[in-house]
Amino acid sequence: MIQGRYKRLALKLELDRFSVGGIYNLGLNYLATKTLPSIAPNRLTAIQVESSLACNLKCKMCVREYFDRGNPHLTFEKFKTIIDQFPYLRQLNLTGIGEPLLNKDIFKMVEYASKQKIYVRFTTNATLLTAQNNEKIIRSGLDELRVSLDGATARTFEDIRAGSCFKEVIENIGALNRLKQSLGASKPIIEINTVALKENINEFPQLVELAAFLNIKSIFFAGLDVEGAKYAEISSLIYKLPRPEIEEIFARTRIRAKELGVAIRLPSIIPQPRKCFLPWLTNYITLDGDLMPCCHCVDGKNRGEVIGDYSFGNLLSQEFEGIWNSDKYQHFRKRLNNGNLPHICKKCAVVSGMD
């Protein structure tokens, strides 16, 4: 239900522009997902750009502590250099490993992209949804705001997101919704993102009720990767629970969501491996300009990997056109196709079917 909305959105954005080249490129996107060629004929319509590595919280499942990259924020000048290389860009995610609202240039980035009719979203921990930031969010043209909400009670939420205040976060979300109403604004669409952990799984039905109370229409319950040094240290993965217990909670969550009209996406309980289309359809771009196949490749130190192994090039010193079908990128796509998965992909929650 939620994923289908993004497919419809991609077509709507092209029809709104009435770009013949853009519509043709959408057709090439579709063709690429069916044939998965090593040389991709299409050009990207969606990218994720890392806006910040800094954060004001210390969440138990976060990999930020493993990062030692220098500059914590993407500058507006670097941002322009990056996205100006994507003529068919229609969807932009400005979420990185940190909190986007800590970046002083975040609203300039949103405004710049919005003026080009690009659908823009990012995820926030909602602690910085002040009155001033709320007004900037609405006036910037942000299309979608995902709020990280990992518990329906203060005890659970504050235990998972160390340094946060549940009451304050709920008040902040409510204040943003009220401001939207008072200004007659239709956006940003506000959604909830919940990391599925043993600590919060029993509160999933309550989270659906909380979403309805806050007038939020959808929740993404995201699974965690099941490998990696950070996750091995915590006993929070829902996959360690008995399967019948997870199924029962998920069933109650689905029932409550249907009753309240809240769209939800729940992670898979058992592995359901599936094809990965990301290296044909999108990229994750670090604030240093490195172009990665997806966001799973950026926490290299945590996984014992070197980030550079999965960087196909750097958009601050190279042109995208010279990277997109480079030998290195083609080799990566071939490995996905023939089952000789790159090491990072063997640990991926998408490929393993755990998300």
Side-chain angles (χ1 to χ4, degrees), residues 163-345:
S164 65
C165 174
F166 179 74
K167 183 174 181 292
E168 181 181 280
V169 164
I170 298 303
E171 289 175 349
N172 289 349
I173 299 170
L176 176 58
N177 254 330
R178 288 192 296 274
L179 182 60
K180 273 182 59 181
Q181 293 173 356
S182 68
L183 294 175
S186 60
K187 59 184 188 180
I189 298 169
I190 304 174
E191 300 178 324
I192 289 174
N193 192 81
T194 299
V195 177
L197 302 171
K198 286 173 65 176
E199 289 90 340
N200 63 18
I201 187 171
N202 284 305
E203 295 184 5
F204 281 13
Q206 289 173 262
L207 276 163
V208 171
E209 293 169 356
L210 182 57
F213 172 76
L214 291 169
N215 196 30
I216 295 175
K217 302 301 182 183
S218 58
I219 306 179
F220 293 77
F221 293 97
L224 273 177
D225 192 336
V226 295
E227 295 190 44
K230 174 64 179 179
Y231 303 145
E233 295 171 2
I234 61 176
S235 60
S236 301
L237 298 172
I238 64 167
Y239 310 115
K240 294 183 178 181
L241 293 172
R243 181 179 167 186
E245 182 179 340
I246 301 175
E247 289 177 336
E248 190 273 333
I249 294 171
F250 279 14
R252 286 193 288 113
T253 304
R254 291 189 186 97
I255 291 170
R256 202 71 185 108
K258 186 175 182 179
E259 290 173 343
L260 296 172
V262 176
I264 62 171
R265 188 193 73 177
L266 291 163
S268 301
I269 300 176
I270 57 174
Q272 296 175 347
R274 55 194 186 276
K275 279 285 187 180
C276 175
F277 302 120
L278 298 185
W280 288 267
L281 296 179
T282 188
N283 279 133
Y284 184 100
I285 302 163
T286 72
L287 52 79
D288 298 313
D290 285 304
L291 187 146
M292 309 282 189
C294 72
C295 63
H296 294 285
C297 297
V298 298
D299 53 337
K301 193 172 180 182
N302 176 49
R303 300 171 188 266
E305 305 289 341
V306 178
I307 287 179
D309 290 348
Y310 299 102
S311 173
F312 299 124
N314 190 288
L315 293 177
L316 299 180
S317 58
Q318 299 170 263
E319 294 292 328
F320 173 76
E321 286 298 320
I323 300 173
W324 181 231
N325 283 313
S326 64
D327 290 343
K328 189 174 183 179
Y329 217 143
Q330 289 185 52
H331 180 64
F332 187 88
R333 293 187 183 114
K334 287 177 182 176
R335 290 188 66 181
L336 280 182
N337 276 337
N338 63 26
N340 181 25
L341 295 177
H343 188 60
I344 200 79
C345 298

Side-chain angles (χ1 to χ4, degrees), residues 4 34 40 43 47 94 107 122 135 192 205 210 247 296 353:
K34 295 300 180 183
R43 294 300 179 264
I47 59 174
L94 284 171
F107 297 113
F122 63 75
E135 185 165 350
I192 289 174
L210 182 57
E247 289 177 336
H296 294 285

